[in-house]
Amino acid sequence: MEQQQMNAQQEEMSLRVDIYAMLAHLLRRAPKQDVIDWLSTLDVEAKQPATTGMAAAWPVLKLAAQKTSVIALEEEYQDLFIGIGRGELVPFGSWYLTGSLMEMPLAHLRRDLAQLGFARDESVKEPEDHIAALLEVMAMLVEGGDMHVQRTFFNRHLAAWVERLCMDMKTAKSAVFYSAVGEVALQFLTIEKTRFMEVN
């Protein structure tokens, strides 16, 4: 029985790492054909945690992947997150928390990242409070296994604004595929927020 419980916990941790990493990848850049193909053939029954919101969100993402193309996604990502001067959405913590980029939330994040031993990748031009970077860090923290470290990082750097970003993604004029990404992200991160509330 104890071994079964450990296996279930390991499977859950592995699934959480995969979902954080997948969302980070989709929000870092427009996906290439291999990622679109993978999403198009997702086994949504196996992927979903036992919650209604996630159960409904996975098939929508799968269908969105089946109905898109590399060129369409490059255009959608450009319009949503880059734009001319600025995209329809600004996927940075500082922006959502203060209305400006490069503000105090970023300074606090940089301090915490340094304490956790994370160094900035010089090839990445965006500030560290980009949603993709934060989700990448969460994937690594979940893999590390310390629930208290995960909770502290999530609550300090994601909890206060990430749901608003997901809602904006779902309803953005330019969003088709990314509307489905926003729904999966919203459902998953809501589960995570609840999970961390239950940590002793």
Side-chain angles (χ1 to χ4, degrees):
M1 192 67 181
E2 195 173 309
Q3 186 62 45
Q4 277 184 321
Q5 192 176 10
M6 283 176 63
N7 289 345
Q9 287 173 344
Q10 189 65 37
E11 278 180 29
E12 183 181 64
M13 185 190 83
S14 180
L15 181 60
R16 290 173 64 216
V17 170
D18 288 348
I19 297 173
Y20 271 118
M22 178 200 77
L23 291 172
H25 184 84
L26 294 175
L27 293 166
R28 174 69 72 191
R29 65 187 66 81
K32 300 297 184 192
Q33 190 63 53
D34 60 332
V35 178
I36 298 170
D37 292 343
W38 177 75
L39 290 171
S40 297
T41 56
L42 264 184
D43 181 356
V44 293
E45 294 298 322
K47 278 279 174 200
Q48 62 200 30
T51 58
T52 309
M54 283 299 277
W58 281 119
V60 175
L61 179 60
K62 181 177 181 176
L63 185 63
Q66 290 169 348
K67 292 186 173 297
T68 194
S69 67
V70 170
I71 292 170
L73 281 185
E74 284 173 353
E75 289 177 2
E76 185 176 336
Y77 189 92
Q78 175 74 26
D79 291 343
L80 266 181
F81 300 114
I82 301 170
I84 298 168
R86 209 194 95 187
E88 191 176 343
L89 304 179
V90 183
F92 295 91
S94 286
W95 179 269
Y96 272 86
L97 294 170
T98 71
S100 302
L101 295 173
M102 311 289 283
E103 292 291 336
M104 282 308 292
L106 178 58
H108 295 151
L109 171 63
R110 285 175 170 165
R111 178 199 62 208
D112 286 354
L113 289 173
Q115 288 175 350
L116 289 166
F118 291 107
R120 181 184 170 86
D121 184 340
E122 293 305 319
S123 68
V124 177
K125 295 179 176 61
E126 297 93 356
E128 294 89 330
D129 61 342
H130 189 285
I131 182 60
L134 294 170
L135 295 174
E136 286 162 1
V137 170
M138 281 302 302
M140 288 184 273
L141 294 179
V142 172
E143 207 161 18
D146 188 325
M147 191 65 85
H148 292 280
V149 173
Q150 296 167 42
R151 179 182 66 178
T152 300
F153 188 87
F154 186 95
N155 286 344
R156 280 186 185 166
H157 304 297
L158 280 159
W161 65 278
V162 72
E163 288 170 52
R164 279 184 289 149
L165 171 62
C166 293
M167 292 299 292
D168 289 347
M169 217 186 308
K170 282 177 57 179
T171 58
K173 289 200 303 287
S174 307
V176 181
F177 174 82
Y178 277 95
S179 179
V181 174
E183 178 62 17
V184 170
L186 179 64
Q187 295 300 332
F188 174 65
L189 295 170
T190 300
I191 292 167
E192 288 290 280
K193 195 172 187 177
T194 305
R195 182 195 309 278
F196 296 135
M197 285 177 186
E198 294 167 355
V199 176
N200 295 324

